Amino acid sequence: MGKVKMKKNDVWIDMTPMSDVMVLLLTFFMLTSTFVKSEPVKVVTPGSVTEAKVPEANILNITIDPSGKVFMSMDKVTDLEAALAEMTDKFGIQLSAEQRKKFREDPMFGAPMSAMSAYLDLPREKMAEGIKTLGIPTDSLEQADGTKGKSEFQEWVTAVKAANSDIKLCIKADEKTPYKVVKAVMSELQDMNENRYQLITSYKKTEE
């Protein structure tokens, strides 16, 4: 008796719905993702058992490296540009359009105003190494009448607050940074009546 041959039907799966879902997911992640710039100055923050979360936006990050140098970074470019304009006007510094562009795109700023132009003239590949040797001065500036005024650090904070009064201050110091250096930065903020700021630490479940 001969074998009965069964007719084979081709299986066809409509992939259109899956493609639509993938495109929607990709679009969602692209629109909601925040791209973090690589900071040239790295710090290892001390551990803490607190679970309070640091705001992810509208913040002024004050970074203190192990040697005590102070750097800053902001997430809003418009506020950064406004603060830079106020500082250059105050210190009588002229920056070219290219220098301002490089300042905007720099993930972190921390050059003294006297060295700002020279720093921004560096090739982009050398700026990351160059900034590590600088830092924002925290020494009080001498006024024309011989009295002590604000430091450059305080002037930057003032300029940033003028650009955005709602910005939040966060201090991120390395675990090896001497306490007296961190205390000096906090004292400068207190002298400006800036008493609300957060200290960034690494979370650990139990104390060692």
Side-chain angles (χ1 to χ4, degrees), residues 4-149:
V4 178
K5 293 184 178 180
M6 302 295 293
K7 184 178 179 180
K8 295 182 179 179
N9 295 322
D10 293 334
V11 178
W12 180 79
I13 301 175
D14 186 5
M15 299 295 290
T16 303
M18 182 178 293
S19 300
D20 291 341
V21 171
M22 292 300 296
V23 171
L24 288 174
L25 286 173
L26 179 60
T27 303
F28 170 78
F29 287 119
M30 289 178 64
L31 294 176
T32 57
S33 297
T34 301
F35 295 95
V36 179
K37 296 180 180 179
S38 178
E39 296 182 343
V41 179
K42 306 293 184 182
V43 297
V44 179
T45 54
S48 172
V49 295
T50 181
E51 296 187 48
K53 293 185 178 180
V54 177
E56 297 181 358
N58 198 31
I59 59 174
L60 171 64
N61 272 318
I62 301 169
T63 302
I64 311 173
D65 74 358
S67 65
K69 292 185 176 66
V70 178
F71 307 90
M72 292 182 180
S73 60
M74 299 171 60
D75 58 327
K76 287 191 175 182
V77 177
T78 52
D79 295 344
L80 181 63
E81 290 176 336
L84 176 63
E86 183 168 336
M87 288 294 289
T88 52
D89 288 344
K90 186 175 185 63
F91 286 85
I93 297 173
Q94 297 292 329
L95 297 179
S96 65
E98 177 62 22
Q99 288 174 323
R100 292 179 181 273
K101 182 174 183 293
K102 290 170 75 173
F103 184 88
R104 289 195 306 269
E105 296 174 352
D106 209 10
M108 179 180 287
F109 60 96
M113 294 306 296
S114 60
M116 182 66 73
S117 182
Y119 166 70
L120 294 174
D121 280 337
L122 291 173
R124 291 182 184 273
E125 62 272 13
K126 293 185 178 181
M127 290 176 66
E129 289 300 319
I131 195 174
K132 296 178 182 179
T133 64
L134 300 172
I136 300 174
T138 55
D139 298 328
S140 298
L141 298 172
E142 187 172 345
Q143 304 298 306
D145 58 1
T147 59
K148 295 291 186 179

Side-chain angles (χ1 to χ4, degrees), residues 126-180:
K126 293 185 178 181
M127 290 176 66
E129 289 300 319
I131 195 174
K132 296 178 182 179
T133 64
L134 300 172
I136 300 174
T138 55
D139 298 328
S140 298
L141 298 172
E142 187 172 345
Q143 304 298 306
D145 58 1
T147 59
K148 295 291 186 179
K150 291 181 178 179
S151 65
E152 284 192 27
F153 168 77
Q154 291 175 319
E155 293 287 2
W156 270 112
V157 175
T158 301
V160 169
K161 294 290 288 187
N164 183 355
S165 59
D166 295 326
I167 199 166
K168 299 174 180 62
L169 307 182
C170 295
I171 299 176
K172 182 169 64 175
D174 193 273
E175 61 182 1
K176 296 181 180 179
T177 302
Y179 173 73
K180 63 178 182 180

